[in-house]
Structure formats: C-alpha cells, structure tokens
C-alpha cells in the first residue's frame, strides 16, 4: 500500500538545521497494522505527516497505492488524501462549534457526497463506534473517550483504506484507551490498514509489526503476529 525510499526530512532555520528523518525505508502492506515507537523528538509525527500527505520530504521518494507522491503540489496531495486517508489525533481535533453528527459529516461534505448518503453513512459509523446516542451533543459535552470515538468515526466515515493514528490513547485513561484500541483493532480486522504512533508498549503490541525510530532512523523492526489473509 505504501513504500518509502531513503525518505529524509530536514527543518532549517537561520541558525540551525535539524534532521527529523534520515533515509527511512519503509513498506506497509494493505491490511497491515503497524506501530511506530521511539522517544519524543525522534521523528515519529514527522513520518506520519509525510505518510498522510500533510508534508513533503526534503529528499527521498514515497509511493502510495502505486503512485509516487513525494513531489506533488499541495493541491494534488489534498485531492489524493481526501477519501483515501483517515486521521486520528491525540488531541481529537474536533470542531467545538459543530455537533457530533456534523463533525463526522464534514469529510463527506468536502467529498460532495449526497445528503441522503451522508446521513446513512454518518449514522452507520456512529453506531459502529457506539456514540450515536450523543450525536446532537457538542465536543465540550463529551468525555475524552467519547471525543476520541467521534474522531475515529470522522476518520472512517469516508471509508479510507489507510488510517494514520498519532498517539490515539495519549489523552485517555486506561479503560478508555483499551476501548479505543479495540475499535482500531476491529477496523483493522475489517480490512483497514493502520499506521499508529504510540509511546505505549501495550498499544503497540496490538499491531502486526513494531517499528522503533531513534534520531530519525529506523533502528529495529519486530513482527508481533502474522496478518490474517482473507
């Protein structure tokens, strides 16, 4: 599904140059669940942003679904990202002025999906993440665990093949964190490819493969369990 070759990202200011990623070679197969671990500042979020077409590498190449995307314009990256990639963030990133229903509906509006189809899909995913009883509420009226369920519903409502999750349980207690990981695991079992950044060894163990980053390099890869084919 995705592959990088010698992926490098350098941030420059007037006084300093920081290498966030250095010659990263990574391949993720369709249907795989991959965890990325490492200390703060090692390049995990930078890698996720490039994989999600939110940023471009300084050097190297990136193929997504067979298309080399590392040098595309921002407009073209946006078009590819829309409907193909779902994001789940540690801070939820919900829009406070919108209800749960309308937060989840928003990606479908951007995609030009018809009103009837939007209603069907939104209600379907809200049922899937067990938050439909809160669809008229606003984010400030929800617990952290409930907000993350809404964020996951928003990520999957467009039926993306790839979900990128950045510390999805980082702001949650252990009970809510386990529930969110169960949701992500179920989505993966249903065929969605997931790449997740995490500091939690327990969360990482839910993945098929664990990648360790350090100072912008992949230093180890460990297979936890085989993918289920079919």
């Amino acid at each position: 599904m995705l592959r990088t070759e010698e992926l490098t990202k350098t941030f420059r200011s007037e006084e300093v140059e920081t290498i966030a990623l250095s010659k990263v070679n990574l391949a993720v197969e369709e249907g795989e669940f991959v965890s990325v671990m490492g200390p703060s500042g090692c390049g995990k979020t930078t890698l996720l942003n490039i994989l999600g077409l939110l940023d471009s590498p300084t050097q190297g190449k990136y193929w997504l679904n067979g298309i080399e995307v590392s040098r595309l314009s921002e407009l073209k990256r946006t078009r590819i990202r829309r409907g193909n990639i779902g994001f789940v963030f540690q801070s939820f990133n919900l829009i406070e002025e919108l209800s749960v229903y309308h937060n989840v509906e928003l990606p479908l509006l951007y995609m030009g999906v018809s009103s009837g189809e939007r209603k069907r899909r939104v209600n379907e995913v809200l049922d899937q993440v067990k938050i439909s009883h809160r669809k008229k509420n606003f984010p400030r009226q929800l617990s952290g665990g409930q907000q993350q369920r809404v964020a996951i519903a928003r990520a999957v409502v467009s039926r993306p093949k790839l979900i990128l999750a950045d510390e999805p349980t980082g702001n949650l207690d252990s009970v809510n964190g386990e529930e969110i990981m169960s949701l992500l695991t179920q989505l993966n079992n249903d065929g969605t490819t997931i790449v997740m950044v995490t500091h939690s060894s327990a969360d990482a163990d839910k993945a098929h493969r664990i990648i360790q980053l350090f100072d912008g390099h992949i230093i180890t890869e460990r297979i936890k369990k085989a993918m289920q084919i079919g």
Side-chain angles (χ1 to χ4, degrees), residues 214-226:
F214 187 76
D215 285 348
H217 299 268
I218 292 178
I219 56 172
T220 63
E221 291 192 42
R222 180 163 57 100
I223 296 175
K224 283 294 299 177
K225 55 186 176 180

Side-chain angles (χ1 to χ4, degrees), residues 73-84:
S73 67
E74 184 174 350
L75 178 60
K76 289 182 178 179
R77 293 202 313 269
T78 299
R79 288 173 177 167
I80 292 175
R81 187 168 62 237
R82 191 172 293 165
N84 290 306

